[in-house]
């Protein structure tokens, strides 16, 4: 394997430096049209590729894996989340799956903080007032009032890399850190963050001013924020999601925003991307972003570098560093 250049099929346009390096190292087929592959195109790709480099926009379920030829040995995902790939089916077929952890942590934590600020301080509403037509009538003591975040309680659901990076930022903004996780984090980290662990998600939700979703989407976290749980939140609380849309029951969230039973929402991810629930689109209390959490040029180059390292290590006959196994997520 080591002297040969494997056929690597990349499903989307990647940063130029990443593509150039991939062309040097492998027999790489790049994506000319930067469009999400449909099931037909994906099936055709897995029949030829030895390595597939997909992204979050490619649905690699049981059917696509079943259609893969024997030559497909590695799915080197460009991205951290792997909920669009059937890891178990891949493993059963002897296909290794890798991801790109670590390199998008800080960018995603920044975007989460930005959403917390945007919703609490009405940044988008304000920016729209001074748009191209500048409809601003002048300063007023009681107009465009948001909410102070200093001293408020932030509840982080999922205290992994991104959750912890968010907590560090939020602490500097004067927020009190609370979290729900499968287990408490290292006591040293808990001490540094002065963080409070809640074993019961329900109890934490009822007491937080701001809640942030930072856990992966797995069968166990699908609609973790169900209609019942969303109703436990305080009326004036805000909910932020930079993880995966499926973790929240989006319809139930839209209803609570409409009825005034929730203070606001900042969402970078949606249940059926790129579709967005029309009721959320209409909500004045929601700040909606098109899945931009890791969208920095630095982050995307680092992600590409991780993909390359995973493929190169595999080509050289070793286990790639970022293997994802069933049960890990
Ligand atoms: C990526 C993400 O841009 O890495 C992830 O899990 O959600 C995004 O920030 C995307 O997944 C790329 O495939």
């Amino acid at each position: 394997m080591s002297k040969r250049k494997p056929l690597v099929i990349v499903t989307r346009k990647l940063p130029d430096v990443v593509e150039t390096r991939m062309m040097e190292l492998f027999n790489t087929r790049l994506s000319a049209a930067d469009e999400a592959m449909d099931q037909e195109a994906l099936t055709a790709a897995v029949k030829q590729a030895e390595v597939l480099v997909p992204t979050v926009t490619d649905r690699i379920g049981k059917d696509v894996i079943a259609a893969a030829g024997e030559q497909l040995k590695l799915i080197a995902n460009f991205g951290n989340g792997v909920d669009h790939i059937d890891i178990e089916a891949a493993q059963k077929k002897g296909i290794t799956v890798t991801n790109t952890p670590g390199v998008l942590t800080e960018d995603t934590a920044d975007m989460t903080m930005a959403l917390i600020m945007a919703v609490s301080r009405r940044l988008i509403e304000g920016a729209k007032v001074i748009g191209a037509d500048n409809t601003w009538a002048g300063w007023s003591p009681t107009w465009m009032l948001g909410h102070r975040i200093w001293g408020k309680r932030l509840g982080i659901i999922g205290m992994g890399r991104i959750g912890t990076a968010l907590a560090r930022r939020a602490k500097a903004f004067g927020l009190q850190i609370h979290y729900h996780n499968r287990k408490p984090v290292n006591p040293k980290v808990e001490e540094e963050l002065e963080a409070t662990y809640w074993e019961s998600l329900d109890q934490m939700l009822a007491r937080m001013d701001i809640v942030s979703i930072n856990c992966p989407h797995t069968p166990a976290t699908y609609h973790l924020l169900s209609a019942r749980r969303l109703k436990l939140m305080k009326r004036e609380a805000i909910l932020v999601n930079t993880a995966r849309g499926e973790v929240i029951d989006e319809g139930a969230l839209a209803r609570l925003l409409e009825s005034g039973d929730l203070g606001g929402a900042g969402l970078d991810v949606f249940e059926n991307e790129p579709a967005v629930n029309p009721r959320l689109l209409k909500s004045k209390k929601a700040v909606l972003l098109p899945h931009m959490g890791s969208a920095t040029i630095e982050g995307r180059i680092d992600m590409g570098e991780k993909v390359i390292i995973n493929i190169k290590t595999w080509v050289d006959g070793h286990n790639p560093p970022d293997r994802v196994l069933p049960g890990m997520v």
Side-chain angles (χ1 to χ4, degrees):
M1 175 66 58
S2 60
K3 296 285 169 275
R4 233 172 33 79
K5 286 187 173 187
L7 175 61
V8 177
I9 298 186
V10 184
T11 66
R12 301 299 300 262
K13 167 95 187 84
L14 302 182
D16 290 344
V17 282
V18 176
E19 290 189 338
T20 304
R21 188 67 184 132
M22 287 181 89
M23 296 287 273
E24 283 166 9
L25 288 171
F26 319 118
N27 174 17
T28 307
R29 193 182 298 166
L30 300 172
S31 169
D34 182 28
E35 280 165 14
M37 279 194 180
D38 60 16
Q39 294 296 290
E40 202 184 323
L42 272 176
T43 305
V46 294
K47 282 190 193 303
Q48 290 180 290
E50 294 171 81
V51 180
L52 183 75
V53 179
T55 75
V56 69
T57 55
D58 304 302
R59 298 265 133 231
I60 306 172
K62 271 195 183 50
D63 295 356
V64 173
I65 301 277
E70 286 303 311
Q71 83 297 328
L72 182 69
K73 293 290 177 230
L74 175 64
I75 298 177
N77 187 52
F78 182 88
N80 197 19
V82 285
D83 53 330
H84 55 293
I85 304 171
D86 190 328
I87 307 289
E88 227 172 86
Q91 196 197 31
K92 275 195 195 130
K93 208 164 166 167
I95 302 167
T96 301
V97 178
T98 59
N99 66 346
T100 62
V103 290
L104 34 79
T105 305
E106 306 302 332
D107 295 328
T108 310
D110 284 345
M111 195 58 113
T112 313
M113 207 59 224
L115 278 173
I116 292 173
M117 294 301 295
V119 178
S120 304
R121 299 300 303 274
R122 305 174 64 178
L123 295 192
I124 309 300
E125 277 178 84
K128 276 188 188 149
V129 171
I130 308 189
D133 345 301
N134 188 6
T135 56
W136 189 25
W139 186 87
S140 151
T142 54
W143 180 69
M144 222 19 119
L145 304 185
H147 284 284
R148 174 184 296 160
I149 66 164
W150 188 91
K152 297 278 165 63
R153 292 174 161 205
L154 168 67
I156 299 174
I157 300 176
M159 199 67 150
R161 276 181 291 258
I162 297 172
T164 308
L166 168 65
R168 292 206 168 97
R169 284 158 176 73
K171 186 167 186 280
F173 274 81
L175 283 156
Q176 295 171 27
I177 310 302
H178 298 256
Y179 71 101
H180 170 77
N181 204 34
R182 277 180 289 197
K183 51 182 183 359
V185 295
N186 181 315
K188 278 203 184 112
V189 176
E190 209 169 71
E191 199 184 328
E192 171 209 329
L193 298 168
E194 297 175 73
T196 305
Y197 174 64
W198 294 79
E199 196 178 342
S200 161
L201 175 59
D202 287 8
Q203 288 186 22
M204 182 177 90
L205 285 173
R207 289 164 179 82
M208 296 300 120
D209 303 300
I210 302 166
V211 171
S212 174
I213 311 283
N214 296 102
C215 62
H217 165 221
T218 67
T221 64
Y222 175 77
H223 281 195
L224 184 67
L225 269 82
S226 57
R228 178 189 72 76
R229 285 215 174 96
L230 287 168
K231 280 191 203 131
L232 297 173
M233 291 177 68
K234 292 188 194 177
R235 267 177 82 90
E236 64 279 13
I238 70 166
L239 178 62
V240 170
N241 189 4
T242 49
R244 282 293 180 272
E246 290 92 334
V247 180
I248 301 177
D249 180 338
E250 211 170 83
L253 171 63
R255 284 194 294 280
L256 285 178
L257 290 170
E258 271 169 11
S259 63
D261 289 313
L262 197 66
L267 308 174
D268 184 47
V269 286
F270 303 90
E271 269 199 80
N272 300 299
E273 293 178 15
V276 178
N277 186 320
R279 297 166 78 168
L280 283 177
L281 293 175
K282 282 193 203 121
S283 174
K284 286 217 168 73
K285 293 178 175 175
V287 172
L288 311 175
L289 293 178
H291 202 142
M292 289 165 59
S294 68
T296 66
I297 183 62
E298 294 86 350
R300 292 288 154 84
I301 291 173
D302 290 350
M303 285 159 77
E305 181 67 13
K306 279 235 157 208
V307 168
I308 291 169
I309 290 168
N310 281 315
I311 302 174
K312 182 80 174 78
T313 315
W314 171 79
V315 170
D316 292 344
H318 304 285
N319 281 327
D322 304 311
R323 271 186 310 161
V324 183
L325 300 169
M328 257 171 74
V329 281

